[in-house]
Amino acid sequence: MCGLAGILQTGPASYSFEPVLKRMTEAIRHRGPDDHGIWIDAQAGIGLGHRRLSILDLSPQGHQPMISAGERYVIAFNGEVYNFSALRQELDSLWEKRESGIRERWRGHSDTEVMLAAIEQWGIENAVKKFIGMFAFALWDKKDQLLYLVRDRLGIKSLYYGWQGNSFIFGSELKAIKEHPRFEKKINRDAITLLMRYNYIPAPHSIYKGIHKLLPGHILKLSAKENPNTAPESHCYWSAREVAENGISNPFTGSEEEAVQQLDSILRDSVKLRMASDVPLGAFLSGGIDSSTVVALMHAQSTQPVKTFSIGFYEEGYNEAQYAREIAKYLGTDHTELYVAPEQAMAVIPRMPTLYDEPFSDSSQIPTFLVSQLAKKHVTVSLSGDGGDELFWGYDRYNVGRKLWKMIGWMPAGGRKLLGQFISSIPESTFDQCLGWLYPAMNKNAHFKSIGRKLHSMSRVLETGTSNSLYFRLISHWKEPESLVIGATEPTTVLSNGNPSGKISDFSQKMMFLDTITYLPDDILTKVDRASMGVSLEARVPLLDHRVVEFAWRVPLDMKLKKGQVKPLLKQVLFKYVPKELIERPKKGFSVPVGSWLKGPLKEWAEELLCERRLREEGFFDPAPIRKIWAEHLAGGSGWKLHLWDVLMFQAWLENQNQISKECLDFQTGTHG
């Protein structure tokens, strides 16, 4: 696992490539503390930089940027191609047939060298389609003077890019891009609306104007003669929508038992490939279905006890460490757990803006960082169970959405809208006065609940015209973020543009698909990448092998949906290795009690960031709605914690950026201590 940065200069440069690339790569040193390298062709206007976390081929033969054997291509690569040994054998076989024998072609045994050889042999797109792995890389074609940026199919690894003047700059993280002298630190107000809606900024957008994220499964191509005023184009080499549509129209026709056997076989191979490492390796173990499946399959294919890691919390309802301990004991893993006091967990919150160098407000970032920090003390690579929820029906909102659509989907769209408009025309206070007694009667644990607000929320659901719109409402935090962010217009995203789910008609399948192309790469995988790489730990996700994804979409829906069950098909695989009684329990998720913290130990921190005067002076948010929900939350409301955390994470990020800017100014003016 590594980090990359680079520059393509299309006109005169007022700077020297080498020191700039050194600063850019130094900014992402945490992604690769073991080695660094720079390659420059000043005449062509191209420079590549690399930081290396040595995992395979620890020798200097794995050094990057790496030049291909034929000297046509230069690559800076972040990630792993797990099937490189099979590709190497395939290439050897081709060369042996073409030549009178295999001459010594290989300098080392890194996957990077095999990637370059594959690209020379088959061309970039055909080679990439053969790769099984997670990757983001920059490739320079010396012959055709072309730059390629490539991102893996599911978006496990990130890649940012953009024009700043006549400099096209790119990197694994925004930290690298910000070190370029032409970078203009202009905050994209429109992107803040996306953060408020989703709790992340979805690709291709970023927090800075002119800087974008490469979409998953895409290849961007840029000529050295490109006009800086022209937006670079990319094309898709692997489409999640096509995979889903093809899987649904050409379903697996075997029995459920045969489906379990085939899934088990694919997962075993996926896990086995990801166990290849020249450094210590382990796995995150939460005790849930996904991570337990990964660990069980590792155990079944390992000659030594698997090293496993889990985080526990003292707060009831947020702790699964005891379940992880039971799984670890049954499988005989070398298990390490750490119970974290609230003070320890909250102490890492100030680090979040430095790890996630654009605002990011999924609070599970906190335990993800803590378990990564724990694992790094013992291993350099850790397997993770991410992806199972999206592929095998694991989220509660899938059941909620399915039930809601069954309730209202039969109604004509016009009838739904009329009923919704009627309900919303009646003030919330009127409902509270007339029907407020009903809520406590239905829910004895209700505190500060408004039945009027609940009915108004339902009215917005009723006004939904399509199932795509219902999904959009279900996953939205702030429903009207444009009214919150001053001077901003919410950009179009894949979820708000036309028909994002294509030919997928069943609402259950729509939800899983839409999560796979948005929430999974932009939230879950971003969270894991930044948290793990922040401590120089490589996290691998075997459930997101594209072969697993393609098979999962071929599995008929009735094998994924069984009343009262979560991920029934995946559980059947797990039960081949672990007793049912260790697994059958309600899903908890990987979260922290942000709501109660904001009323208690984090109250002072939050109050400072949400100060009305401060909000007005900074000029990004209208303070009124924020102060309103903050007051309601402190008075006992429990429905605003996600909305507040969205704002707080932006505020904390902004404070960090302002502090960095002040330190830079002090240094330049000589006023620093």
Side-chain angles (χ1 to χ4, degrees), residues 375-538:
K376 179 58 182 178
K377 295 177 181 179
H378 305 271
V379 299
T380 308
V381 178
S382 185
L383 273 63
S384 175
D386 297 291
D389 289 320
E390 292 78 5
L391 296 178
F392 298 103
W393 192 264
Y395 290 125
D396 290 338
R397 68 171 175 271
Y398 292 165
N399 287 316
V400 172
R402 185 175 176 83
K403 289 175 182 177
L404 276 174
W405 191 246
K406 277 188 174 182
M407 288 170 57
I408 67 174
W410 61 271
M411 298 173 63
R416 284 199 302 269
K417 288 185 178 181
L418 284 173
L419 180 57
Q421 289 168 0
F422 171 73
I423 294 173
S424 62
S425 68
I426 301 173
E428 290 183 16
S429 58
T430 301
F431 282 121
D432 290 340
Q433 291 170 5
C434 298
L435 303 174
W437 60 273
L438 284 173
Y439 200 88
M442 293 185 293
N443 184 356
K444 294 179 180 179
N445 297 319
H447 298 288
F448 203 82
K449 295 286 186 179
S450 164
I451 196 166
R453 193 172 68 186
K454 290 289 181 182
L455 286 170
H456 272 229
S457 296
M458 178 57 72
S459 74
R460 289 191 289 269
V461 172
L462 286 167
E463 291 172 17
T464 297
T466 66
S467 55
N468 285 323
S469 300
L470 174 57
Y471 171 86
F472 188 62
R473 288 192 176 277
L474 284 172
I475 54 89
S476 295
H477 289 196
W478 291 86
K479 301 299 190 275
E480 297 177 354
E482 282 187 357
S483 65
L484 180 71
V485 183
I486 298 171
T489 300
E490 184 174 359
T492 299
T493 68
V494 66
L495 293 180
S496 58
N497 185 21
N499 178 25
S501 54
K503 299 176 184 176
I504 304 170
S505 58
D506 182 89
F507 187 46
S508 301
Q509 292 174 321
K510 281 186 181 185
M511 288 188 286
M512 290 189 289
F513 166 72
L514 293 173
D515 270 356
T516 299
I517 63 171
T518 57
Y519 178 69
L520 179 63
D522 292 321
D523 185 313
I524 300 298
L525 296 175
T526 296
K527 174 187 67 180
V528 174
D529 176 75
R530 300 302 192 280
S532 59
M533 292 310 298
V535 295
S536 305
L537 175 77
E538 176 175 300

Side-chain angles (χ1 to χ4, degrees), residues 266-287:
I266 297 171
L267 285 174
R268 283 177 71 95
D269 187 61
S270 176
V271 168
K272 183 178 180 180
L273 284 176
R274 285 157 181 79
M275 291 173 68
S277 174
D278 293 335
V279 294
L281 173 141
F284 301 142
L285 179 60
S286 68

Side-chain angles (χ1 to χ4, degrees), residues 165-330:
N166 62 354
S167 299
F168 182 78
I169 53 180
F170 50 94
S172 297
E173 295 183 23
L174 287 170
K175 293 181 184 67
I177 287 176
K178 287 162 63 176
E179 291 298 320
H180 192 280
R182 292 285 179 86
F183 174 71
E184 297 182 3
K185 194 177 178 181
K186 294 182 179 178
I187 293 177
N188 182 359
R189 285 178 178 265
D190 295 346
I192 304 173
T193 66
L194 299 176
L195 175 71
M196 295 299 106
R197 184 177 293 281
Y198 302 113
N199 83 242
Y200 57 83
I201 299 174
H205 306 283
S206 91
I207 190 60
Y208 292 115
K209 291 183 177 180
I211 303 298
H212 309 278
K213 304 183 186 88
L214 185 61
L215 290 168
H218 276 65
I219 298 175
L220 180 149
K221 181 171 71 172
L222 194 68
S223 167
K225 300 177 182 179
E226 199 73 54
N227 184 341
N229 296 319
T230 303
E233 295 184 359
S234 64
H235 73 276
C236 180
Y237 68 87
W238 187 89
S239 167
R241 180 190 286 188
E242 288 181 6
V243 166
E245 290 176 345
N246 291 339
I248 293 168
S249 59
N250 299 285
F252 178 78
T253 56
S255 65
E256 184 171 329
E257 183 180 348
E258 289 170 330
V260 171
Q261 290 175 348
Q262 189 159 337
L263 179 58
D264 178 50
S265 176
I266 297 171
L267 285 174
R268 283 177 71 95
D269 187 61
S270 176
V271 168
K272 183 178 180 180
L273 284 176
R274 285 157 181 79
M275 291 173 68
S277 174
D278 293 335
V279 294
L281 173 141
F284 301 142
L285 179 60
S286 68
I289 296 166
D290 302 335
S291 65
S292 297
T293 300
V294 170
V295 171
L297 292 170
M298 291 175 73
H299 170 75
Q301 301 176 92
S302 178
T303 57
Q304 298 178 343
V306 177
K307 294 181 182 294
T308 54
F309 307 93
S310 66
I311 290 289
F313 293 96
Y314 294 105
E315 289 93 337
E316 187 177 351
Y318 292 88
N319 181 43
E320 286 193 302
Q322 69 270 29
Y323 306 125
R325 192 184 314 124
E326 291 172 3
I327 298 290
K329 182 179 180 181
Y330 179 83

Side-chain angles (χ1 to χ4, degrees), residues 48 64-66 73-77 112 115-116 119 137-139:
L48 300 177
Q64 294 187 49
M66 185 181 290
Y73 297 105
V74 186
I75 194 171
F77 162 51
T112 312
M115 291 170 68
L116 284 169
I119 291 167
F137 64 86
L139 182 81

